[in-house]
Amino acid sequence: MSVSARSRSFPGFGAVPASRRRSMAVGATAVAGMLLAGCTAAPPPTPKTTPTPACSASPVALFSEFTEAFNAHDAAQLADLFTEDANFVNIFGQFMPGRDGIESGHADAFDSRIAVADLNLDEVKVVDVDAEVVVMYGFWTLKQPDGADAALTVPDGSGILTGVAECAGQEWRFAAVSNTRVTPPPS
């Protein structure tokens, strides 16, 4: 397989653009730092709630905009919150590559099992990676309207959206999001 000078192949992921490799390296460094931080007396990172010099708004606004787009069942509006080469993994483990895949996957979902669902964002926690990259955890609850056909809808529940956001130009955009439903552990 030929790989361009701007991309590098990673097992299971194919070619990864140079811009994404930097984000991946920063993310891996952050994870390693967080693991090592548990071995020291260093205080936990302060959540990022103030704007960075490059981006004028807080990255937390992305989750509010995500919730608005979800509740409007507007897949195009939701996908616009992501970088062009972002990825999304839903609660069923379906991988949606790129902004087009994210829009298409959510359009299908809005036309079926979450057509009438109401998503509530309960809390957002932010971990700074650097001035242009953050990791965020959005704690959510999902409610179906009274009388919704349980056989045709996703059941009420809660979960965590884990997102990596980057300052793209002067706006925050999701580079990757994975959605996990909270379920009781097996006994």
Side-chain angles (χ1 to χ4, degrees):
M1 171 169 98
S2 167
V3 178
S4 74
R6 300 197 66 213
S7 296
R8 184 170 172 200
S9 182
F10 290 88
F13 293 97
V16 176
S19 63
R20 187 63 49 225
R21 286 197 317 269
R22 178 186 174 276
S23 293
M24 291 168 63
V26 169
T29 302
V31 169
M34 286 186 275
L35 291 173
L36 291 175
C39 299
T40 67
T46 304
K48 177 178 244 153
T49 56
T50 58
T52 66
C55 284
S56 60
S58 168
V60 173
L62 272 176
F63 272 122
S64 296
E65 294 172 34
F66 183 96
T67 303
E68 286 176 25
F70 185 98
N71 288 335
H73 301 102
D74 188 333
Q77 179 184 354
L78 188 141
D80 191 47
L81 301 173
F82 290 80
T83 61
E84 192 65 41
D85 59 348
N87 295 299
F88 187 95
V89 180
N90 71 11
I91 60 172
F92 301 110
Q94 294 174 311
F95 186 81
M96 300 174 202
R99 189 181 288 155
D100 291 341
I102 293 165
E103 181 175 351
S104 174
H106 282 88
D108 290 347
F110 293 148
D111 285 341
S112 63
R113 298 188 57 83
I114 56 175
V116 293
D118 183 43
L119 182 69
N120 292 300
L121 184 63
D122 302 319
E123 178 183 8
V124 176
K125 293 185 181 207
V126 181
V127 178
D128 288 328
V129 175
D130 66 24
E132 296 180 353
V133 177
V134 296
V135 175
M136 297 189 289
Y137 303 95
F139 298 83
W140 57 263
T141 53
L142 182 80
K143 177 105 173 97
Q144 297 289 352
D146 292 338
D149 185 345
L152 302 175
T153 59
V154 173
D156 293 353
S158 61
I160 303 168
L161 281 167
T162 303
V164 175
E166 62 183 38
C167 183
Q170 294 186 356
E171 296 181 314
W172 287 100
R173 293 283 181 254
F174 286 117
V177 172
S178 183
N179 195 3
T180 305
R181 181 176 277 276
V182 174
T183 58
S187 54

